[in-house]
Amino acid sequence: MAKADHIKKLVASYGRSQDFRAAALRIIDEAAHQGKKPFADSLRKILDANVSPDYQVASQPRLTSLASQVDPSTTLVDEINVSRGLRDIVLSPDTQALIEGIIEERRRSEELRRHRLPLSTRILFAGPPGCGKTLCAEVLARELSLPLFSARIDVIVSSFLGETASNLRRLFDFASRRPCILFLDEFDALARTRADTTEHNELRRVVNSLLHMVERFRGPGLVVAATNLPQFLDEAIWRRFDDVVSFDPPEEREIALLLSRQFANFPVHFDVESMSQKLKGMSYADIERVCFDAIKKAVLKRRKSVSETEFASALRKEMRRKGLTSLVKM
Ligand SMILES: Nc1ncnc2c1ncn2[C@@H]1O[C@H](COP(=O)(O)OP(=O)(O)OP(=O)(O)O)[C@@H](O)[C@H]1O
Ligand SMILES: [Mg+2]
């Protein structure tokens, strides 16, 4: 039998399809958990056929604030429109395996629950800028058909310190009540080390309550935190995450993959391999910019392929931008 609390929640959510769906999913999970798979499956079919999540209706190519449904006075999250999936991201084999593992686990969650195995619900992405942390949050949302909400750190960290903790509580409540991915970008801004002597005592308490909230978060969706300053994170934060995924700058293999994708619809007339050597040390975002720039130059010259001259000139532009011109010999 479904728990009385779950049934109460279901009835109380009448008229709010997203909450209704979340409550119904809890009952389905519970039934699957108790070994009543045919019942769970048939409920799931009925639910999918009749109750579409609000976000499927609402999601438009714009930023939508759904936080107003929780508290009309404050906007704690932005909904990010999601379009890119696994085939749009290039990852090292290790990182790829971790991400595919997270997706597989979610897709087969009922099997795992049947064995009473906990699901990963808290994931930390760490790595330098432009290496795919935000993109990967989008990829997870797309692959798992979940809406992606990005927390507005600027709004959450209030100048009134007491409010920061209560904003965080509302944020986690929000994510606990609907299947979604809550993305905490610039996580270091929230979870700076408590040992930092420049911080106020009250801020340490905020970090403590954040640790507590991350620790207690059990879904229904995922919390994905991202940082490019992992060295500033409080030591205790690491073990609160089920998975820590590192996003490194591309090596030779990944550069070649990225180039082949970027130039998939626009052939090149030069030796890509020798050019890839010159891209070492750049981020994916930098390399993407070089490719776009080279293609743009070719298009403006009304050419159907990119020549070495265009690519080299786009690369020089990027190097100048980074103040590294002297390092490139072309
Ligand atoms: N691994 C990747 N594979 C393919 N494209 C990538 C990858 N990483 C970055 N890009 C491209 O660069 C853009 C910017 O990357 P993204 O925003 O994911 O970086 P980030 O790691 O979140 O950086 P930051 O730390 O500055 O937030 C992406 O939207 C994508 O177009
Ligand atoms: Mg980012």
Side-chain angles (χ1 to χ4, degrees):
M1 261 304 284
K3 281 202 181 128
D5 276 358
H6 293 166
I7 295 176
K8 279 189 213 159
K9 273 201 182 124
L10 186 76
V11 174
S13 64
Y14 178 74
R16 286 173 284 126
S17 60
Q18 189 127 317
D19 291 344
F20 182 87
R21 204 180 148 83
L25 282 170
R26 290 262 162 90
I27 292 175
I28 291 168
D29 282 352
E30 180 83 11
H33 214 73
Q34 295 168 347
K36 297 172 186 152
K37 190 164 182 326
F39 177 57
D41 287 347
S42 63
L43 269 188
R44 179 76 201 224
K45 267 193 204 130
I46 297 170
L47 184 70
D48 287 345
N50 295 288
V51 187
S52 59
D54 296 336
Y55 61 81
Q56 281 180 1
V57 183
S59 105
Q60 297 292 331
R62 65 193 161 86
L63 295 179
T64 319
S65 164
L66 286 195
S68 53
Q69 292 177 8
V70 181
D71 176 356
S73 65
T74 321
T75 305
L76 295 180
V77 294
D78 286 323
E79 184 174 6
I80 307 295
N81 188 50
V82 163
S83 62
R84 292 175 291 181
L86 260 180
R87 64 197 175 101
D88 300 301
I89 192 165
V90 176
L91 297 168
S92 70
D94 286 351
T95 306
Q96 176 100 18
L98 271 171
I99 297 299
E100 284 177 357
I102 293 167
I103 294 170
E104 164 102 359
E105 182 177 315
R106 283 275 143 183
R107 286 187 177 152
R108 301 175 61 193
S109 59
E110 281 179 18
E111 280 172 61
L112 295 174
R113 286 206 182 100
R114 229 176 299 138
H115 289 88
R116 301 197 181 277
L117 293 167
L119 294 180
S120 292
T121 49
R122 302 147 303 180
I123 299 158
L124 178 64
F125 289 173
C131 288
K133 300 182 295 298
T134 302
L135 172 59
C136 197
E138 182 181 334
V139 168
L140 282 179
R142 169 80 197 247
E143 296 295 330
L144 298 172
S145 308
L146 291 173
L148 175 62
F149 295 109
S150 184
R152 295 196 51 197
I153 305 291
D154 55 335
V155 176
I156 289 161
V157 179
S158 161
S159 51
F160 303 103
L161 283 169
E163 276 182 18
T164 305
S166 81
N167 284 345
L168 283 171
R169 231 181 336 272
R170 284 197 292 130
L171 183 71
F172 276 83
D173 277 357
F174 174 81
S176 302
R177 277 195 268 124
R178 48 183 59 68
C180 68
I181 293 186
L182 175 64
F183 185 52
L184 306 174
D185 208 356
E186 298 176 45
F187 191 59
D188 44 280
L190 282 176
R192 282 199 169 234
T193 172
R194 285 167 295 182
D196 189 338
T197 49
T198 61
E199 301 294 8
H200 195 283
N201 269 350
E202 186 66 29
L203 262 188
R204 282 184 216 161
R205 273 195 282 279
V206 167
V207 176
N208 280 339
S209 61
L210 176 66
L211 294 188
H212 194 60
M213 283 175 227
V214 171
E215 187 159 30
R216 284 193 1 198
F217 182 79
R218 289 286 175 273
L222 295 170
V223 165
V224 177
T227 177
N228 50 34
L229 297 168
Q231 68 275 26
F232 289 140
L233 289 189
D234 191 286
E235 254 179 50
I237 204 79
W238 298 92
R239 65 187 162 82
R240 261 71 182 193
F241 286 92
D242 302 303
D243 290 299
V244 177
V245 187
S246 72
F247 289 78
D248 300 313
E251 301 278 347
E252 227 165 277
R253 168 190 169 276
E254 290 80 40
I255 295 177
L257 265 173
L258 187 64
L259 290 180
S260 70
R261 289 186 194 187
Q262 292 296 325
F263 291 120
N265 299 319
F266 220 90
V268 289
H269 276 165
F270 58 88
D271 177 13
V272 175
E273 207 171 303
S274 69
M275 279 295 172
S276 325
Q277 300 294 328
K278 299 192 160 85
L279 300 171
K280 273 198 186 151
M282 288 185 169
S283 70
Y284 290 90
D286 297 339
I287 298 174
E288 185 181 73
R289 199 163 35 238
V290 171
C291 295
F292 281 148
D293 203 47
I295 295 175
K296 251 192 264 172
K297 287 181 199 309
V299 168
L300 292 175
K301 286 185 196 161
R302 300 188 202 286
R303 295 164 53 111
K304 292 209 161 29
S305 62
V306 177
S307 71
E308 180 160 354
T309 321
E310 282 130 15
F311 193 81
S313 137
L315 183 53
R316 270 197 304 275
K317 183 172 158 197
E318 182 65 26
M319 289 299 186
R320 267 198 300 278
R321 183 186 156 117
K322 291 194 163 315
L324 292 173
T325 323
S326 58
L327 299 177
V328 194
K329 296 189 180 62
M330 304 186 64

